[in-house]
Coordinates of all heavy atoms in Angstrom, one line a residue:
A146 N 82.7 155.7 33.0 CA 83.2 154.3 33.0 C 84.2 154.2 31.8 O 83.7 154.4 30.7 CB 82.1 153.3 32.9
I147 N 85.4 154.0 32.1 CA 86.4 154.0 31.0 C 87.1 152.6 30.9 O 87.6 152.2 32.0 CB 87.5 155.1 31.2 CG1 86.8 156.5 31.3 CG2 88.5 155.1 30.1 CD1 87.7 157.7 31.6
T148 N 87.1 152.0 29.8 CA 87.4 150.6 29.7 C 88.5 150.3 28.7 O 88.6 151.0 27.7 CB 86.2 149.7 29.4 OG1 85.5 150.3 28.3 CG2 85.2 149.7 30.6
P149 N 89.2 149.1 28.8 CA 90.2 148.7 27.9 C 89.6 147.8 26.8 O 88.4 147.5 26.9 CB 91.2 148.0 28.7 CG 90.4 147.3 29.8 CD 89.2 148.2 30.0
W150 N 90.5 147.3 25.9 CA 90.0 146.5 24.8 C 90.0 145.0 25.0 O 89.5 144.2 24.2 CB 90.8 146.8 23.5 CG 92.2 146.9 23.8 CD1 93.0 148.0 23.9 CD2 93.2 145.8 23.9 NE1 94.3 147.7 24.1 CE2 94.4 146.4 24.1 CE3 93.1 144.4 23.8 CZ2 95.6 145.6 24.2 CZ3 94.2 143.6 23.9 CH2 95.5 144.2 24.2
N151 N 90.6 144.5 26.1 CA 90.8 143.1 26.2 C 89.6 142.2 26.5 O 89.6 141.1 26.0 CB 92.0 142.8 27.1 CG 91.8 143.2 28.5 OD1 91.3 144.3 28.7 ND2 92.3 142.4 29.4
S152 N 88.7 142.7 27.3 CA 87.5 141.9 27.6 C 86.3 142.8 27.6 O 85.6 142.9 28.6 CB 87.6 141.2 28.9 OG 88.8 140.4 29.0
S156 N 84.2 143.6 31.2 CA 84.6 144.7 32.0 C 83.7 145.9 31.9 O 83.5 146.7 32.9 CB 86.1 145.2 31.6 OG 86.1 145.5 30.3
Q159 N 80.8 145.1 34.2 CA 81.2 145.2 35.6 C 81.1 146.6 36.2 O 81.2 146.8 37.4 CB 82.7 144.7 35.7 CG 83.0 143.8 36.8 CD 84.3 143.1 36.5 OE1 84.3 142.1 35.8 NE2 85.4 143.5 37.1
K174 N 83.0 155.0 28.1 CA 84.0 155.4 27.0 C 84.8 154.1 26.8 O 85.7 153.8 27.5 CB 84.9 156.5 27.6 CG 85.5 157.4 26.5 CD 86.3 156.7 25.4 CE 87.7 156.4 25.8 NZ 88.4 155.6 24.8
P175 N 84.4 153.4 25.7 CA 85.2 152.1 25.4 C 86.5 152.4 24.8 O 86.8 153.6 24.3 CB 84.3 151.4 24.4 CG 83.5 152.5 23.7 CD 83.4 153.6 24.7
A176 N 87.4 151.4 24.7 CA 88.7 151.6 24.1 C 88.5 151.9 22.6 O 87.6 151.4 22.0 CB 89.5 150.4 24.3
E177 N 89.5 152.6 22.0 CA 89.4 153.0 20.6 C 89.2 151.7 19.8 O 88.5 151.7 18.8 CB 90.7 153.7 20.2 CG 91.0 155.1 20.7 CD 91.8 155.0 22.0 OE1 91.4 154.2 22.9 OE2 92.7 155.9 22.2
G205 N 85.9 156.9 21.2 CA 86.8 158.0 20.8 C 88.2 157.9 21.5 O 88.4 156.9 22.3
K206 N 89.1 158.8 21.2 CA 90.4 158.7 21.7 C 90.4 158.9 23.2 O 89.7 159.8 23.7 CB 91.3 159.7 21.1 CG 91.7 159.3 19.7 CD 93.0 160.0 19.3 CE 93.5 159.4 17.9 NZ 93.5 160.5 16.9
G207 N 91.2 158.1 24.0 CA 91.3 158.3 25.4 C 91.8 159.7 25.8 O 91.2 160.4 26.7
R208 N 92.8 160.2 25.1 CA 93.4 161.5 25.5 C 92.5 162.7 25.2 O 92.7 163.8 25.6 CB 94.7 161.7 24.8 CG 95.7 160.8 25.4 CD 97.1 161.4 25.3 NE 98.1 160.3 25.7 CZ 99.0 159.8 25.0 NH1 99.2 160.4 23.8 NH2 99.8 158.8 25.4
V209 N 91.4 162.4 24.3 CA 90.5 163.5 23.9 C 89.2 163.3 24.7 O 88.8 164.0 25.6 CB 90.3 163.5 22.4 CG1 89.4 164.7 22.0 CG2 91.7 163.6 21.7
I210 N 88.5 162.2 24.3 CA 87.2 162.0 24.8 C 87.2 161.5 26.3 O 86.5 162.0 27.1 CB 86.4 161.0 23.9 CG1 86.3 161.7 22.5 CG2 85.0 160.7 24.4 CD1 85.7 163.1 22.5
G211 N 88.1 160.5 26.5 CA 88.2 160.0 27.9 C 88.6 161.1 28.8 O 88.1 161.3 29.9
E212 N 89.6 161.9 28.4 CA 90.1 163.0 29.2 C 89.0 164.0 29.5 O 88.8 164.4 30.7 CB 91.3 163.6 28.5 CG 92.0 164.8 29.2 CD 93.0 164.3 30.1 OE1 93.6 163.2 29.9 OE2 93.3 165.0 31.1
A213 N 88.3 164.4 28.4 CA 87.2 165.4 28.6 C 86.1 164.9 29.5 O 85.6 165.6 30.4 CB 86.6 165.8 27.3
L214 N 85.8 163.6 29.4 CA 84.8 163.0 30.2 C 85.2 163.0 31.7 O 84.5 163.5 32.6 CB 84.5 161.6 29.7 CG 83.4 160.8 30.5 CD1 82.1 161.5 30.4 CD2 83.4 159.4 29.9
A215 N 86.4 162.5 31.9 CA 86.9 162.5 33.3 C 87.0 163.9 34.0 O 86.6 164.0 35.1 CB 88.3 161.8 33.3
I223 N 85.0 158.4 38.6 CA 85.7 157.8 37.5 C 85.9 156.3 37.8 O 86.6 156.0 38.8 CB 87.0 158.5 37.2 CG1 86.8 160.0 36.9 CG2 87.7 157.8 36.0 CD1 88.1 160.8 36.9
F225 N 87.7 153.3 36.3 CA 88.6 153.0 35.2 C 89.2 151.6 35.2 O 89.6 151.2 36.3 CB 89.8 154.1 35.3 CG 90.9 153.8 34.3 CD1 90.7 154.2 32.9 CD2 92.1 153.2 34.7 CE1 91.7 153.9 32.0 CE2 93.1 153.0 33.8 CZ 92.9 153.4 32.4
T226 N 89.3 151.0 34.1 CA 90.1 149.8 33.9 C 91.0 150.0 32.7 O 90.6 150.4 31.7 CB 89.2 148.6 33.7 OG1 88.4 148.4 34.8 CG2 90.1 147.3 33.5
G227 N 92.3 149.8 32.9 CA 93.3 150.0 31.9 C 94.7 150.0 32.4 O 95.0 149.4 33.5
G228 N 95.6 150.6 31.7 CA 97.0 150.6 32.0 C 97.3 151.5 33.3 O 96.6 152.4 33.6
T229 N 98.4 151.1 33.9 CA 98.8 151.8 35.2 C 99.1 153.3 34.9 O 98.7 154.1 35.7 CB 99.9 151.1 35.9 OG1 99.4 149.8 36.3 CG2 100.5 151.9 37.0
E230 N 99.7 153.6 33.8 CA 100.1 155.0 33.6 C 98.8 155.9 33.4 O 98.7 157.0 33.9 CB 101.1 155.2 32.4 CG 102.5 154.8 32.8 CD 102.9 155.2 34.3 OE1 102.7 156.4 34.6 OE2 103.3 154.4 35.1
T231 N 97.9 155.3 32.6 CA 96.6 156.1 32.4 C 95.9 156.2 33.8 O 95.3 157.2 34.1 CB 95.7 155.3 31.4 OG1 96.5 154.9 30.3 CG2 94.6 156.2 30.9
G232 N 95.9 155.1 34.6 CA 95.2 155.1 35.9 C 95.8 156.2 36.8 O 95.1 156.9 37.5
H234 N 97.3 158.9 35.9 CA 96.9 160.2 35.4 C 95.5 160.5 35.9 O 95.2 161.6 36.4 CB 97.0 160.2 33.9 CG 96.4 161.4 33.3 ND1 96.9 162.6 33.4 CD2 95.3 161.5 32.5 CE1 96.2 163.5 32.7 NE2 95.1 162.8 32.2
L235 N 94.6 159.5 35.7 CA 93.2 159.7 36.1 C 93.0 159.9 37.6 O 92.1 160.6 38.1 CB 92.3 158.6 35.6 CG 92.2 158.6 34.1 CD1 91.4 157.4 33.6 CD2 91.4 159.9 33.6
V238 N 93.5 163.5 38.1 CA 92.3 164.2 37.6 C 91.2 164.2 38.7 O 90.6 165.2 39.1 CB 91.8 163.6 36.3 CG1 90.4 164.3 35.9 CG2 92.8 163.9 35.2
L248 N 90.3 152.1 40.3 CA 91.3 151.9 39.2 C 91.7 150.4 39.2 O 92.2 149.9 40.2 CB 92.6 152.7 39.6 CG 92.4 154.3 39.7 CD1 93.6 154.9 40.2 CD2 91.9 154.9 38.4
E249 N 91.3 149.8 38.1 CA 91.7 148.4 37.9 C 92.9 148.4 36.9 O 92.6 148.7 35.7 CB 90.6 147.6 37.4 CG 89.4 147.5 38.3 CD 89.6 146.6 39.5 OE1 90.7 145.9 39.5 OE2 88.8 146.6 40.4
L250 N 94.1 148.1 37.3 CA 95.2 148.4 36.4 C 96.0 147.2 36.0 O 95.5 146.1 36.0 CB 96.1 149.5 37.1 CG 95.3 150.7 37.6 CD1 96.2 151.7 38.4 CD2 94.6 151.4 36.5
G251 N 97.3 147.4 35.7 CA 98.0 146.3 35.1 C 98.6 145.3 36.1 O 98.4 145.4 37.3
G252 N 99.3 144.3 35.5 CA 99.8 143.3 36.4 C 101.0 142.6 35.8 O 101.3 142.7 34.6
Q281 N 96.7 138.5 26.8 CA 96.2 139.9 26.9 C 95.2 140.0 28.0 O 94.0 140.2 27.9 CB 95.5 140.3 25.6 CG 96.4 140.3 24.4 CD 95.7 140.5 23.1 OE1 95.8 141.5 22.4 NE2 94.9 139.5 22.7
A282 N 95.7 139.7 29.2 CA 94.8 139.7 30.4 C 95.6 140.4 31.5 O 96.8 140.1 31.7 CB 94.5 138.3 30.8
C283 N 95.0 141.3 32.3 CA 95.7 142.0 33.3 C 96.2 141.0 34.4 O 97.2 141.2 35.0 CB 94.7 143.0 34.0 SG 93.2 142.2 34.5
I284 N 95.5 139.9 34.5 CA 95.8 138.9 35.5 C 96.7 137.7 35.0 O 96.9 136.8 35.7 CB 94.5 138.2 36.1 CG1 93.6 137.9 34.9 CG2 93.8 139.1 37.1 CD1 92.4 137.1 35.2
E384 N 104.8 144.8 32.2 CA 103.7 144.1 31.7 C 103.8 144.0 30.2 O 103.9 145.1 29.5 CB 102.4 144.8 32.1 CG 101.2 144.1 31.7 CD 99.9 144.8 32.0 OE1 99.8 146.1 31.8 OE2 98.9 144.2 32.5
F386 N 101.6 142.0 28.2 CA 100.3 141.9 27.7 C 100.2 141.1 26.4 O 99.5 141.4 25.5 CB 99.6 143.3 27.5 CG 98.2 143.4 27.9 CD1 97.9 143.1 29.2 CD2 97.2 143.7 27.1 CE1 96.6 143.2 29.7 CE2 95.9 143.8 27.5 CZ 95.6 143.5 28.8
Y410 N 103.7 145.9 40.6 CA 102.3 145.4 40.5 C 102.0 144.5 41.7 O 102.8 143.9 42.3 CB 102.2 144.6 39.2 CG 102.3 145.5 38.0 CD1 103.4 145.3 37.1 CD2 101.5 146.5 37.7 CE1 103.6 146.1 36.0 CE2 101.6 147.3 36.5 CZ 102.7 147.1 35.7 OH 102.9 147.9 34.6
L412 N 98.5 142.4 41.3 CA 97.2 142.1 41.0 C 96.8 140.7 41.4 O 95.7 140.5 42.0 CB 97.0 142.3 39.4 CG 95.5 142.4 39.0 CD1 94.8 143.5 39.7 CD2 95.4 142.6 37.5
F450 N 87.3 142.0 43.6 CA 88.5 141.9 42.8 C 89.2 143.3 42.7 O 88.5 144.3 42.5 CB 88.1 141.5 41.3 CG 89.2 141.5 40.4 CD1 90.2 140.5 40.4 CD2 89.4 142.5 39.4 CE1 91.3 140.5 39.5 CE2 90.5 142.5 38.6 CZ 91.4 141.5 38.6
G451 N 90.5 143.3 42.8 CA 91.2 144.6 42.6 C 92.7 144.3 43.0 O 93.1 143.2 43.3
G452 N 93.5 145.4 42.8 CA 94.9 145.2 42.9 C 95.5 145.8 44.2 O 95.0 146.7 44.8
S456 N 98.7 148.1 40.9 CA 97.7 147.4 40.1 C 96.3 147.9 40.4 O 95.4 147.5 39.8 CB 97.7 145.9 40.4 OG 98.8 145.3 39.8
G457 N 96.2 148.9 41.3 CA 94.9 149.5 41.4 C 94.5 150.0 42.7 O 95.2 149.8 43.7
E461 N 86.1 145.9 42.7 CA 84.9 145.7 41.9 C 84.3 144.4 42.3 O 85.0 143.6 42.9 CB 85.2 145.7 40.4 CG 85.5 147.1 39.9 CD 85.5 147.3 38.4 OE1 85.8 146.3 37.7 OE2 85.1 148.4 37.9
Ligands
NAD501 P1 94.9 152.1 28.3 O1 95.2 152.6 29.7 O2 95.7 152.6 27.2 O3 93.4 152.5 27.9 C1 92.3 152.2 28.7 C2 91.1 153.1 28.4 O4 91.5 154.4 28.9 C3 90.8 153.3 27.0 O5 89.4 153.4 26.8 C4 91.5 154.6 26.6 O6 91.0 155.2 25.5 C5 91.3 155.4 27.8 N1 92.3 156.5 28.0 C6 93.6 156.5 27.6 N2 94.1 157.7 28.0 C7 93.2 158.4 28.7 C8 93.1 159.7 29.3 N3 94.2 160.5 29.3 N4 92.0 160.0 29.9 C9 90.9 159.2 29.9 N5 90.9 158.0 29.3 C10 92.0 157.6 28.7 O7 94.8 150.5 28.4 P2 94.6 149.5 27.2 O8 95.9 149.4 26.4 O9 93.3 149.8 26.6 O10 94.4 148.2 28.1 C11 95.4 147.4 28.5 C12 95.7 147.6 30.0 O11 94.5 147.5 30.8 C13 96.7 146.7 30.6 O12 97.6 147.4 31.3 C14 95.9 145.8 31.4 O13 96.6 145.2 32.5 C15 94.8 146.7 31.9 N6 93.7 145.9 32.4 C16 93.4 145.9 33.8 C17 92.3 145.1 34.2 C18 92.0 145.0 35.7 O14 90.9 144.7 36.1 N7 93.0 145.3 36.6 C19 91.5 144.5 33.3 C20 91.8 144.6 32.0 C21 92.9 145.3 31.5

Side-chain angles (χ1 to χ4, degrees):
I147 302 176
T148 52
W150 44 262
N151 59 321
S152 305
S156 55
Q159 222 162 283
K174 208 304 278 171
E177 289 92 316
K206 287 205 172 117
R208 290 208 190 123
V209 182
I210 298 307
E212 183 85 24
L214 180 61
I223 304 168
F225 173 77
T226 299
T229 291
E230 284 322 306
T231 317
H234 169 71
L235 289 174
V238 172
L248 305 171
E249 298 287 351
L250 309 177
Q281 300 167 113
C283 53
I284 46 173
E384 183 183 44
F386 222 59
Y410 296 113
L412 195 57
F450 175 75
S456 286
E461 289 193 326

